[in-house]
Amino acid sequence: MDSSRVKESRPAFAGLGGQSPEKLFGGLPTPCYILDEAMLRWNGGILAGVAERTGCRILLAQKAFSNYDLYPVLSPYLDGTEASGLYEARLGAEEMPGKEVHVFCAAYREEEFDGLLRYAGHIVFNSPRQLERFGRSAKKAGKSVGLRINPECSTQEGHAIYDPCAPGSRLGTTRAQWDAGMSPELAGLLDGLHFHTLCEQGSDALEITLNAVAERFGDVLPRMKWLNFGGGHHITRPGYDIPRLERCIRLAQERWGLRVYLEPGEACALNAGYLAARVLDVLQNGGVQTAILDTSAACHMPDVLEMPYRPPLYGAKGPGELPCTVRLGGPTCLAGDVIGEYSFVTPLREGDILLFGDMAIYTMCKNNTFNGMALPDIVVLRSGGELRRLKKFEYADFRHRLGR
């Protein structure tokens, strides 16, 4: 299925309660991220329900959403955080105190490993060699030690950049790598296995993957204490088959006697954020009309170019569906700084406000200041309707990234 259609099938603007972007956010400077507290709670409730019914544990994958000012909103629904390195591990430990901190990295740096031992309770290695190098010190420090496995089961169509099971993948240990590099002593260090193969997918893909895990590592799993299903589960998306997910969890628990972990990122903050922008100019080149916005795909929503996809936009439809089709682009010098083509009921004009949906995930944690672009303000929409600015970025934020 085309990823742009998957994203547009979500209720990206349900949190607005039927009010227009101009009425809600017209007084904010643009560009501006808005985090929706009520939608975060909604997602949290769905995830907590899965955990309550199955006994699994659910972690926030901070690589997708790391706005720690909102961690107190999510924390009651979650068991902790998942990190990709030292800084995220520290953030999770400091901002969700008392919760679990898990970390996985393709390769750890020796000078950072003591820091990881300070903040993380679960440390997952990518290869037998990394386990050999650091596993004993992690075990000695009382940490739960895991190994990421690669079940060699691709369930994605397209977007190979996000497929950890693609041929030659650097992520996870295949069964052949296990057999070649895992000694009984190293295997004895392990408390659990971890796999992460999904990206914005349903529980049908998880079921297929879990069968592949059982086929390749079924003899190892009974010796483990836990199994981490990784992330990429779109649990909070309407239409997601939660009963099938729960059957997969129970299967692992009953078949191998394991504790099951999930570490969704997108599902925690799905449709819980917006990006407000305004039109700066409208120009015509041949048969293409383009609106230049004060926000940039390259700088403020980089997954639009990396994934790629066309994000949902309030009041707009696909090209040709409404009378006025316009290409939306950013103000940078990158010729490909294009958000996508949309159609509108009436022509766009300078000063019009546009509201992009599903902008909490993979935006603020990935944005950049290419061309000296200012980063958008970050505002929270409280459950009662109050708007509160969390962060305003200035010239100093740009400058200090580059030197003293």
Side-chain angles (χ1 to χ4, degrees):
M1 182 180 293
D2 182 83
S3 66
S4 66
R5 296 201 177 275
V6 170
K7 288 183 176 284
E8 288 175 358
S9 71
R10 309 168 185 168
F13 304 101
L16 301 186
Q19 300 184 75
S20 71
E22 186 66 55
K23 182 176 180 180
L24 280 172
F25 309 127
L28 296 175
T30 58
C32 178
Y33 297 114
I34 302 115
L35 298 173
D36 192 325
E37 181 180 277
M39 293 303 292
L40 286 172
R41 294 188 192 279
W42 176 268
N43 291 336
I46 294 173
L47 297 174
V50 172
E52 182 178 350
R53 289 187 296 272
T54 65
C56 78
R57 297 195 176 188
I58 299 183
L59 312 170
L60 165 66
Q62 296 177 99
K63 61 187 175 185
F65 182 78
S66 48
N67 294 89
Y68 57 88
D69 286 293
L70 279 298
Y71 281 15
V73 174
L74 285 172
S75 182
Y77 305 103
L78 301 174
D79 293 286
T81 57
E82 180 274 334
S84 300
L86 175 59
Y87 287 177
E88 282 187 355
R90 178 174 177 176
L91 188 71
E94 292 179 347
E95 300 300 334
M96 277 197 197
K99 299 279 187 172
E100 294 189 41
V101 177
H102 294 222
V103 62
F104 164 79
C105 186
Y108 293 105
R109 297 167 56 139
E110 187 168 358
E111 64 269 26
E112 292 184 350
F113 201 73
D114 284 345
L116 285 170
L117 295 179
R118 185 178 310 122
Y119 297 113
H122 285 60
I123 299 180
V124 177
F125 298 97
N126 188 56
S127 68
R129 171 62 184 140
Q130 281 276 294
L131 176 63
E132 181 180 25
R133 186 175 180 189
F134 296 108
R136 294 177 186 85
S137 60
K139 201 75 172 179
K140 185 177 179 180
K143 307 305 176 180
S144 189
V145 173
L147 183 75
R148 177 166 174 168
I149 56 173
N150 178 352
E152 300 173 88
C153 177
S154 294
T155 56
Q156 300 184 41
E157 296 180 13
H159 307 309
I161 190 175
Y162 295 106
D163 185 1
C165 291
S169 172
R170 65 188 171 84
L171 296 173
T173 298
T174 66
R175 186 60 203 234
Q177 290 172 322
W178 174 289
D179 291 340
M182 188 67 71
S183 67
E185 181 189 2
L186 286 180
L189 294 173
L190 293 176
D191 298 300
L193 299 181
H194 172 288
F195 65 87
H196 174 36
T197 69
L198 307 184
C199 178
E200 297 186 344
Q201 289 174 276
S203 52
D204 54 341
L206 171 63
E207 188 173 58
I208 293 169
T209 302
L210 191 57
N211 287 334
V213 169
E215 180 183 345
R216 289 168 173 79
F217 294 93
D219 60 320
V220 177
L221 286 166
R223 291 179 267 157
M224 299 295 112
K225 298 177 181 177
W226 52 262
L227 178 63
N228 190 322
F229 287 7
H233 315 279
H234 250 189
I235 302 167
T236 54
R237 184 182 71 205
Y240 182 92
D241 189 347
I242 290 179
R244 188 196 296 256
L245 167 67
E246 295 179 355
R247 289 196 299 270
C248 289
I249 294 169
R250 292 191 183 98
L251 183 150
Q253 292 169 331
E254 295 166 5
R255 184 173 181 181
W256 300 303
L258 298 165
R259 166 166 286 160
V260 171
Y261 285 95
L262 302 175
E263 46 183 45
E266 291 203 14
C268 292
L270 192 68
N271 296 321
Y274 318 100
L275 176 57
R278 289 195 181 271
V279 177
L280 300 178
D281 192 15
V282 180
L283 53 90
Q284 189 82 29
N285 184 351
V288 177
Q289 186 175 74
T290 299
I292 307 297
L293 310 184
D294 59 5
T295 194
S296 161
C299 297
H300 304 150
M301 45 179 107
D303 260 11
V304 167
L305 302 184
E306 185 176 298
M307 185 76 175
Y309 77 100
R310 185 168 60 88
L313 178 59
Y314 183 91
K317 293 188 176 182
E321 295 185 51
L322 295 175
C324 304
T325 295
V326 183
R327 179 177 295 170
L328 304 181
T332 72
C333 70
L334 177 67
D337 190 0
V338 173
I339 300 162
E341 292 193 353
Y342 299 80
S343 64
F344 302 84
V345 174
T346 58
L348 291 182
R349 298 181 180 180
E350 293 179 25
D352 284 349
I353 189 171
L354 300 180
L355 191 71
F356 296 95
D358 202 19
M359 287 286 121
I361 51 177
Y362 291 110
T363 51
M364 288 156 276
C365 56
K366 292 184 74 170
N367 61 20
N368 61 82
T369 57
F370 171 65
N371 266 197
M373 285 285 292
L375 296 175
D377 289 359
I378 302 175
V379 172
V380 60
L381 174 62
R382 295 297 186 192
S383 296
E386 173 196 0
L387 290 171
R388 176 170 165 261
R389 186 165 68 186
L390 298 178
K391 180 72 175 180
K392 180 176 178 58
F393 295 93
E394 307 280 3
Y395 167 70
D397 296 293
F398 162 68
R399 176 186 169 96
H400 291 161
R401 290 180 65 252
L402 304 172
R404 57 182 176 81

mmCIF file of all heavy atoms in Angstrom, residues 310-340:
data_model
loop_
_atom_site.group_PDB
_atom_site.id
_atom_site.type_symbol
_atom_site.label_atom_id
_atom_site.label_comp_id
_atom_site.label_asym_id
_atom_site.label_seq_id
_atom_site.Cartn_x
_atom_site.Cartn_y
_atom_site.Cartn_z
ATOM 1 N N ARG A 310 3.560 12.202 1.565
ATOM 2 C CA ARG A 310 2.864 13.487 1.512
ATOM 3 C C ARG A 310 2.023 13.609 2.770
ATOM 4 O O ARG A 310 1.055 12.876 2.952
ATOM 5 C CB ARG A 310 1.978 13.551 0.262
ATOM 6 C CG ARG A 310 1.301 14.887 0.026
ATOM 7 C CD ARG A 310 0.693 14.948 -1.379
ATOM 8 N NE ARG A 310 -0.298 13.911 -1.580
ATOM 9 C CZ ARG A 310 -1.600 14.047 -1.284
ATOM 10 N NH1 ARG A 310 -2.053 15.163 -0.779
ATOM 11 N NH2 ARG A 310 -2.442 13.054 -1.500
ATOM 12 N N PRO A 311 2.385 14.519 3.678
ATOM 13 C CA PRO A 311 1.693 14.574 4.971
ATOM 14 C C PRO A 311 0.264 15.080 4.836
ATOM 15 O O PRO A 311 -0.063 15.809 3.899
ATOM 16 C CB PRO A 311 2.555 15.555 5.783
ATOM 17 C CG PRO A 311 3.240 16.395 4.776
ATOM 18 C CD PRO A 311 3.466 15.522 3.583
ATOM 19 N N PRO A 312 -0.611 14.687 5.766
ATOM 20 C CA PRO A 312 -1.980 15.199 5.738
ATOM 21 C C PRO A 312 -2.010 16.702 5.964
ATOM 22 O O PRO A 312 -1.212 17.244 6.730
ATOM 23 C CB PRO A 312 -2.666 14.439 6.878
ATOM 24 C CG PRO A 312 -1.556 13.972 7.759
ATOM 25 C CD PRO A 312 -0.372 13.767 6.890
ATOM 26 N N LEU A 313 -2.945 17.368 5.306
ATOM 27 C CA LEU A 313 -3.075 18.826 5.386
ATOM 28 C C LEU A 313 -4.543 19.173 5.572
ATOM 29 O O LEU A 313 -5.402 18.752 4.792
ATOM 30 C CB LEU A 313 -2.528 19.479 4.116
ATOM 31 C CG LEU A 313 -2.620 21.001 4.004
ATOM 32 C CD1 LEU A 313 -1.869 21.676 5.146
ATOM 33 C CD2 LEU A 313 -2.058 21.462 2.653
ATOM 34 N N TYR A 314 -4.823 19.942 6.596
ATOM 35 C CA TYR A 314 -6.207 20.279 6.948
ATOM 36 C C TYR A 314 -6.916 20.980 5.783
ATOM 37 O O TYR A 314 -6.399 21.951 5.224
ATOM 38 C CB TYR A 314 -6.218 21.187 8.173
ATOM 39 C CG TYR A 314 -7.606 21.538 8.668
ATOM 40 C CD1 TYR A 314 -8.235 20.748 9.627
ATOM 41 C CD2 TYR A 314 -8.286 22.648 8.174
ATOM 42 C CE1 TYR A 314 -9.509 21.055 10.091
ATOM 43 C CE2 TYR A 314 -9.560 22.960 8.627
ATOM 44 C CZ TYR A 314 -10.169 22.164 9.575
ATOM 45 O OH TYR A 314 -11.429 22.470 10.024
ATOM 46 N N GLY A 315 -8.090 20.495 5.440
ATOM 47 C CA GLY A 315 -8.918 21.140 4.421
ATOM 48 C C GLY A 315 -8.492 20.907 2.995
ATOM 49 O O GLY A 315 -9.112 21.421 2.064
ATOM 50 N N ALA A 316 -7.441 20.124 2.784
ATOM 51 C CA ALA A 316 -6.931 19.887 1.436
ATOM 52 C C ALA A 316 -7.138 18.431 1.054
ATOM 53 O O ALA A 316 -7.324 17.556 1.909
ATOM 54 C CB ALA A 316 -5.451 20.244 1.357
ATOM 55 N N LYS A 317 -7.068 18.173 -0.258
ATOM 56 C CA LYS A 317 -7.158 16.818 -0.778
ATOM 57 C C LYS A 317 -6.029 16.582 -1.773
ATOM 58 O O LYS A 317 -5.169 17.438 -1.971
ATOM 59 C CB LYS A 317 -8.524 16.577 -1.420
ATOM 60 C CG LYS A 317 -9.681 16.596 -0.416
ATOM 61 C CD LYS A 317 -10.984 16.159 -1.067
ATOM 62 C CE LYS A 317 -12.111 16.096 -0.027
ATOM 63 N NZ LYS A 317 -13.391 15.626 -0.638
ATOM 64 N N GLY A 318 -6.038 15.414 -2.396
ATOM 65 C CA GLY A 318 -5.013 15.083 -3.365
ATOM 66 C C GLY A 318 -5.120 15.950 -4.602
ATOM 67 O O GLY A 318 -6.145 16.592 -4.851
ATOM 68 N N PRO A 319 -4.053 16.002 -5.411
ATOM 69 C CA PRO A 319 -4.067 16.841 -6.607
ATOM 70 C C PRO A 319 -5.236 16.478 -7.524
ATOM 71 O O PRO A 319 -5.502 15.312 -7.780
ATOM 72 C CB PRO A 319 -2.714 16.553 -7.260
ATOM 73 C CG PRO A 319 -2.214 15.290 -6.621
ATOM 74 C CD PRO A 319 -2.795 15.238 -5.273
ATOM 75 N N GLY A 320 -5.951 17.526 -7.994
ATOM 76 C CA GLY A 320 -7.059 17.336 -8.919
ATOM 77 C C GLY A 320 -8.388 17.016 -8.288
ATOM 78 O O GLY A 320 -9.422 17.037 -8.970
ATOM 79 N N GLU A 321 -8.421 16.752 -6.987
ATOM 80 C CA GLU A 321 -9.691 16.403 -6.348
ATOM 81 C C GLU A 321 -10.542 17.626 -6.051
ATOM 82 O O GLU A 321 -11.771 17.532 -5.995
ATOM 83 C CB GLU A 321 -9.433 15.619 -5.061
ATOM 84 C CG GLU A 321 -8.782 14.258 -5.280
ATOM 85 C CD GLU A 321 -8.650 13.469 -3.998
ATOM 86 O OE1 GLU A 321 -9.665 13.331 -3.281
ATOM 87 O OE2 GLU A 321 -7.532 13.008 -3.685
ATOM 88 N N LEU A 322 -9.912 18.759 -5.823
ATOM 89 C CA LEU A 322 -10.606 20.028 -5.602
ATOM 90 C C LEU A 322 -10.172 21.003 -6.696
ATOM 91 O O LEU A 322 -9.186 20.751 -7.410
ATOM 92 C CB LEU A 322 -10.284 20.570 -4.199
ATOM 93 C CG LEU A 322 -10.799 19.723 -3.016
ATOM 94 C CD1 LEU A 322 -10.304 20.289 -1.696
ATOM 95 C CD2 LEU A 322 -12.320 19.618 -3.018
ATOM 96 N N PRO A 323 -10.856 22.125 -6.869
ATOM 97 C CA PRO A 323 -10.610 22.997 -8.035
ATOM 98 C C PRO A 323 -9.192 23.523 -8.196
ATOM 99 O O PRO A 323 -8.724 23.699 -9.326
ATOM 100 C CB PRO A 323 -11.601 24.155 -7.806
ATOM 101 C CG PRO A 323 -12.701 23.563 -6.993
ATOM 102 C CD PRO A 323 -12.042 22.564 -6.098
ATOM 103 N N CYS A 324 -8.495 23.810 -7.094
ATOM 104 C CA CYS A 324 -7.195 24.487 -7.197
ATOM 105 C C CYS A 324 -6.066 23.581 -6.705
ATOM 106 O O CYS A 324 -5.942 23.332 -5.503
ATOM 107 C CB CYS A 324 -7.207 25.780 -6.380
ATOM 108 S SG CYS A 324 -8.531 26.916 -6.822
ATOM 109 N N THR A 325 -5.239 23.090 -7.624
ATOM 110 C CA THR A 325 -4.103 22.245 -7.263
ATOM 111 C C THR A 325 -2.841 23.084 -7.163
ATOM 112 O O THR A 325 -2.516 23.860 -8.069
ATOM 113 C CB THR A 325 -3.905 21.123 -8.291
ATOM 114 O OG1 THR A 325 -5.041 20.243 -8.253
ATOM 115 C CG2 THR A 325 -2.648 20.313 -7.997
ATOM 116 N N VAL A 326 -2.128 22.917 -6.054
ATOM 117 C CA VAL A 326 -0.947 23.736 -5.767
ATOM 118 C C VAL A 326 0.166 22.838 -5.235
ATOM 119 O O VAL A 326 -0.082 21.924 -4.449
ATOM 120 C CB VAL A 326 -1.259 24.834 -4.727
ATOM 121 C CG1 VAL A 326 -0.032 25.728 -4.506
ATOM 122 C CG2 VAL A 326 -2.457 25.668 -5.142
ATOM 123 N N ARG A 327 1.386 23.099 -5.685
ATOM 124 C CA ARG A 327 2.567 22.438 -5.119
ATOM 125 C C ARG A 327 3.074 23.291 -3.963
ATOM 126 O O ARG A 327 3.259 24.509 -4.110
ATOM 127 C CB ARG A 327 3.646 22.294 -6.189
ATOM 128 C CG ARG A 327 4.939 21.641 -5.700
ATOM 129 C CD ARG A 327 5.932 21.477 -6.846
ATOM 130 N NE ARG A 327 5.408 20.544 -7.851
ATOM 131 C CZ ARG A 327 5.967 20.360 -9.039
ATOM 132 N NH1 ARG A 327 7.048 21.064 -9.389
ATOM 133 N NH2 ARG A 327 5.447 19.491 -9.891
ATOM 134 N N LEU A 328 3.311 22.663 -2.829
ATOM 135 C CA LEU A 328 3.774 23.386 -1.649
ATOM 136 C C LEU A 328 5.267 23.155 -1.465
ATOM 137 O O LEU A 328 5.728 22.004 -1.423
ATOM 138 C CB LEU A 328 3.024 22.920 -0.399
ATOM 139 C CG LEU A 328 1.494 23.017 -0.451
ATOM 140 C CD1 LEU A 328 0.891 22.540 0.865
ATOM 141 C CD2 LEU A 328 1.045 24.441 -0.764
ATOM 142 N N GLY A 329 6.007 24.242 -1.371
ATOM 143 C CA GLY A 329 7.452 24.149 -1.230
ATOM 144 C C GLY A 329 7.970 25.034 -0.126
ATOM 145 O O GLY A 329 7.302 25.968 0.331
ATOM 146 N N GLY A 330 9.191 24.734 0.309
ATOM 147 C CA GLY A 330 9.818 25.518 1.361
ATOM 148 C C GLY A 330 10.648 26.660 0.809
ATOM 149 O O GLY A 330 10.853 26.781 -0.403
ATOM 150 N N PRO A 331 11.191 27.500 1.694
ATOM 151 C CA PRO A 331 11.941 28.683 1.268
ATOM 152 C C PRO A 331 13.434 28.458 1.079
ATOM 153 O O PRO A 331 14.160 29.403 0.768
ATOM 154 C CB PRO A 331 11.686 29.666 2.411
ATOM 155 C CG PRO A 331 11.570 28.793 3.614
ATOM 156 C CD PRO A 331 10.933 27.506 3.143
ATOM 157 N N THR A 332 13.927 27.214 1.257
ATOM 158 C CA THR A 332 15.368 26.982 1.179
ATOM 159 C C THR A 332 15.839 26.932 -0.274
ATOM 160 O O THR A 332 15.044 26.901 -1.211
ATOM 161 C CB THR A 332 15.762 25.664 1.862
ATOM 162 O OG1 THR A 332 15.329 24.566 1.051
ATOM 163 C CG2 THR A 332 15.152 25.542 3.246
ATOM 164 N N CYS A 333 17.165 26.842 -0.446
ATOM 165 C CA CYS A 333 17.752 26.801 -1.784
ATOM 166 C C CYS A 333 17.703 25.413 -2.411
ATOM 167 O O CYS A 333 18.070 25.244 -3.578
ATOM 168 C CB CYS A 333 19.195 27.292 -1.741
ATOM 169 S SG CYS A 333 20.325 26.150 -0.907
ATOM 170 N N LEU A 334 17.261 24.399 -1.647
ATOM 171 C CA LEU A 334 17.179 23.042 -2.171
ATOM 172 C C LEU A 334 16.021 22.942 -3.161
ATOM 173 O O LEU A 334 14.862 23.147 -2.784
ATOM 174 C CB LEU A 334 16.974 22.046 -1.028
ATOM 175 C CG LEU A 334 16.802 20.583 -1.433
ATOM 176 C CD1 LEU A 334 18.083 20.031 -2.043
ATOM 177 C CD2 LEU A 334 16.364 19.741 -0.235
ATOM 178 N N ALA A 335 16.334 22.633 -4.412
ATOM 179 C CA ALA A 335 15.283 22.564 -5.432
ATOM 180 C C ALA A 335 14.214 21.542 -5.073
ATOM 181 O O ALA A 335 13.035 21.714 -5.407
ATOM 182 C CB ALA A 335 15.897 22.214 -6.795
ATOM 183 N N GLY A 336 14.608 20.488 -4.384
ATOM 184 C CA GLY A 336 13.651 19.450 -4.018
ATOM 185 C C GLY A 336 12.967 19.667 -2.687
ATOM 186 O O GLY A 336 12.340 18.746 -2.160
ATOM 187 N N ASP A 337 13.055 20.866 -2.137
ATOM 188 C CA ASP A 337 12.386 21.166 -0.869
ATOM 189 C C ASP A 337 10.889 21.340 -1.128
ATOM 190 O O ASP A 337 10.339 22.440 -1.050
ATOM 191 C CB ASP A 337 12.986 22.422 -0.231
ATOM 192 C CG ASP A 337 12.504 22.649 1.202
ATOM 193 O OD1 ASP A 337 11.706 21.828 1.698
ATOM 194 O OD2 ASP A 337 12.930 23.642 1.817
ATOM 195 N N VAL A 338 10.244 20.235 -1.438
ATOM 196 C CA VAL A 338 8.831 20.236 -1.810
ATOM 197 C C VAL A 338 8.069 19.302 -0.882
ATOM 198 O O VAL A 338 8.457 18.140 -0.690
ATOM 199 C CB VAL A 338 8.638 19.783 -3.274
ATOM 200 C CG1 VAL A 338 7.162 19.625 -3.605
ATOM 201 C CG2 VAL A 338 9.300 20.777 -4.215
ATOM 202 N N ILE A 339 7.001 19.808 -0.303
ATOM 203 C CA ILE A 339 6.197 19.024 0.628
ATOM 204 C C ILE A 339 5.240 18.108 -0.118
ATOM 205 O O ILE A 339 4.972 16.990 0.310
ATOM 206 C CB ILE A 339 5.440 19.966 1.587
ATOM 207 C CG1 ILE A 339 6.451 20.807 2.381
ATOM 208 C CG2 ILE A 339 4.531 19.186 2.521
ATOM 209 C CD1 ILE A 339 5.865 22.032 3.032
ATOM 210 N N GLY A 340 4.738 18.580 -1.256
ATOM 211 C CA GLY A 340 3.831 17.764 -2.055
ATOM 212 C C GLY A 340 2.829 18.619 -2.788
ATOM 213 O O GLY A 340 2.823 19.854 -2.682
#
